Amino acid sequence: MTVTAKKIQMVDLTSQYAKIQQEIDKAILDVVHSAAFINGPAVKNFQAELEKYLGVKHVIPCANGTDALQIAMMGLGLKPGDEVITADFTYVATAEVIALLGLKPVLVDVYPDTFTINIEALEKAITPKTKAIVPVHLFGQCAEMDELAAVAKKHGLFIIEDAAQAIGADYISANGIRIKAGAIGNVGCTSFFPSKNLGCYGDGGAMYTNDSELAARLKMIANHGQSVQYHHDTIGVNSRLDSIQAAILSVKLSHLDKYTAARRKAADFYDKSFSAMPAIKIPVRSKRSTHVFHQYTLLIEQGDRNKIKEQLAAKGIPAMIYYPIPLHLQKAYRDPRYREGDFPVTEMLCSKVLSLPMHTELDEETQNYIVRSLEECLSL
Ligand SMILES: *Cc1c(COP(=O)(O)O)cnc(C)c1O
């Protein structure tokens, strides 16, 4: 036990900041001195930089990823009673905004290997009321977007990508074209929550689209339904990315590819270390997507996952369960349509997943300690 001098964390934002402190501090102070806290030049600069990075025509910044999803659904004109299909294995925000808008969340199971939405199950869940599909690019890799887009086209459905965990991931379509996660569907949504792959120092989010008319609507809805001040054409919300966060994001965007490379290196190290341990199933990489490892999530195939998590904690190693309860078994989303056993893959995943520390500042010594400790826990 040599490592514990520095506390092991799921995400180490302090060490990350230390390396870019001068750039970040200057960016923050520039905004403070300009006093352009809301909709200042820093927001427009970041917006343009992100458009360029993603290869999309329009980025519409907003207050957080949950708002991005909500505004996307409002912008597409979804109406109460419309059905929106999403994955049962996801963070709650996805289903939450569907329900909040009076739309009907329709849940489907995921693939056991990549944890993304099962396309056959998705097509079976389509009814005449279905209006949109929300694939979630979970843990850092894209859902099967070629197949999903074909289903959406056949049935005339919108695609809203929840790319909150996958910024920077490339989808590689069957014809070899590479597109950034979130830039494929009608709208892509992301979050700049601090621990996300591109995180700010507070809350933030954005929508992306290549549809200029839709972009104008999204922008208007995010701004109280006005495109001309005090002329409210539609009911909107107040959802802004503030200038300080945008300035921080510009700095961090310039490091994003390097950060992704660091995450991949850490994931490769874990993969190699765990490949000979039969009790562990390492994350399966999609053939059609690069992986940006928002999370490094393995399955504990033998042994008591919850006990192993506690034993790791006792050794100073945090691990997290993303996610412990499927959406269809959450109290708030209970629905007579669904019962236990309906989504066997999600239910299995919820009982076996364990996410290990994954961030841009992991070193091999720390990872070695994590690997050895997990091995010990498994043999207890
Ligand atoms: C983080 C996250 C969100 C919500 O983002 P916030 O900025 O926290 O509102 C939505 N969907 C997924 C999959 C997420 O991981």
Side-chain angles (χ1 to χ4, degrees):
M1 281 246 295
T2 52
V3 167
T4 34
K6 195 160 115 190
K7 194 164 168 283
I8 302 175
Q9 301 181 69
M10 281 301 286
V11 178
D12 184 357
L13 295 174
T14 312
S15 307
Q16 190 192 62
Y17 167 63
K19 291 185 186 159
I20 53 172
Q21 181 171 359
Q22 280 187 343
E23 281 175 275
I24 292 278
D25 290 1
K26 180 178 183 307
I28 293 173
L29 277 176
D30 283 352
V31 175
V32 174
H33 287 298
S34 77
F37 297 113
I38 299 292
N39 288 332
V43 179
K44 284 170 197 74
N45 291 343
F46 171 63
Q47 179 189 326
E49 288 157 8
L50 190 59
E51 283 165 355
K52 184 154 172 263
Y53 178 83
L54 295 168
V56 291
K57 274 199 202 146
H58 306 279
V59 163
I60 301 97
C62 64
N64 57 66
T66 308
D67 276 7
L69 289 161
Q70 177 178 334
I71 296 163
M73 288 177 205
M74 293 169 77
L76 290 168
L78 304 188
K79 296 275 176 322
D82 288 349
E83 293 180 5
V84 179
I85 301 177
T86 194
D88 190 39
F89 189 56
T90 181
Y91 182 56
V92 70
T94 326
E96 186 175 55
V97 298
I98 298 172
L100 261 179
L101 292 173
L103 313 169
K104 195 164 164 188
V106 173
L107 303 173
V108 299
D109 216 344
V110 296
Y111 292 121
D113 49 358
T114 53
F115 313 150
T116 58
I117 194 161
N118 181 313
I119 306 295
E120 296 79 54
L122 157 66
E123 188 157 21
K124 284 203 193 103
I126 294 171
T127 77
K129 288 186 173 169
T130 308
K131 290 284 154 47
I133 309 168
V134 187
V136 182
H137 302 319
L138 203 72
F139 301 152
Q141 58 185 353
C142 296
E144 300 298 324
M145 294 306 288
D146 278 348
E147 291 77 2
L148 191 141
V151 171
K153 193 169 171 199
K154 182 168 146 199
H155 298 271
L157 308 175
F158 295 120
I159 300 172
I160 302 165
E161 297 177 69
D162 185 341
Q165 301 188 0
I167 198 160
D170 284 324
Y171 182 74
I172 304 142
S173 73
N175 56 17
I177 293 174
R178 292 170 89 96
I179 312 176
K180 289 284 182 212
I184 306 160
N186 299 87
V187 197
C189 298
T190 203
S191 163
F192 305 123
F193 186 81
S195 63
K196 297 279 154 90
N197 287 34
L198 178 61
C200 58
Y201 292 174
D203 272 309
M207 295 159 276
Y208 338 136
T209 184
N210 286 310
D211 175 340
S212 301
E213 251 175 66
L214 178 60
R217 258 195 325 274
L218 297 172
K219 204 172 153 191
M220 182 165 80
I221 293 169
N223 183 26
H224 296 292
Q226 65 190 342
S227 40
V228 178
Q229 203 174 21
Y230 307 126
H231 292 67
H232 303 276
D233 296 340
T234 184
I235 297 175
V237 296
N238 173 23
S239 188
R240 295 184 284 242
L241 179 70
D242 72 65
S243 306
I244 288 181
Q245 300 306 337
I248 291 165
L249 285 166
S250 282
V251 173
K252 290 188 68 176
L253 179 60
S254 71
H255 296 281
L256 181 61
D257 286 340
K258 193 179 70 193
Y259 288 159
T260 301
R263 287 173 179 274
R264 279 201 191 116
K265 183 163 172 257
D268 290 344
F269 186 91
Y270 278 143
D271 276 0
K272 202 156 57 72
S273 310
F274 294 132
S275 60
M277 296 186 206
I280 288 175
K281 186 179 172 198
I282 60 174
V284 175
R285 304 197 189 191
S286 162
K287 289 183 188 67
R288 286 290 175 71
S289 173
T290 62
H291 202 322
V292 296
F293 288 98
H294 175 60
Q295 298 297 341
Y296 185 87
T297 303
L298 39 76
L299 301 188
I300 303 294
E301 296 281 17
Q302 297 154 31
D304 181 335
R305 187 266 321 262
N306 293 347
K307 214 152 96 196
I308 288 165
K309 178 178 183 285
E310 278 169 32
Q311 287 162 343
L312 283 173
K315 293 170 183 289
I317 299 167
M320 296 293 283
I321 297 166
Y322 302 122
Y323 297 93
I325 304 172
L327 277 183
H328 74 286
L329 299 178
Q330 293 284 0
K331 201 165 146 198
Y333 297 92
R334 281 284 186 159
D335 186 299
R337 285 174 298 163
Y338 304 126
R339 51 190 75 160
E340 203 165 338
D342 278 357
F343 303 106
V345 175
T346 298
E347 291 174 31
M348 176 277 288
L349 293 175
C350 289
S351 72
K352 292 184 177 176
V353 285
L354 192 66
S355 298
L356 296 183
M358 171 50 74
H359 54 79
T360 58
E361 311 302 313
L362 273 172
D363 56 58
E364 287 203 358
E365 195 191 359
T366 307
Q367 283 197 284
N368 255 321
Y369 175 69
I370 295 168
V371 169
R372 269 186 286 115
S373 302
L374 182 51
E375 197 169 19
E376 271 168 43
C377 296
L378 286 165
S379 60
L380 284 179

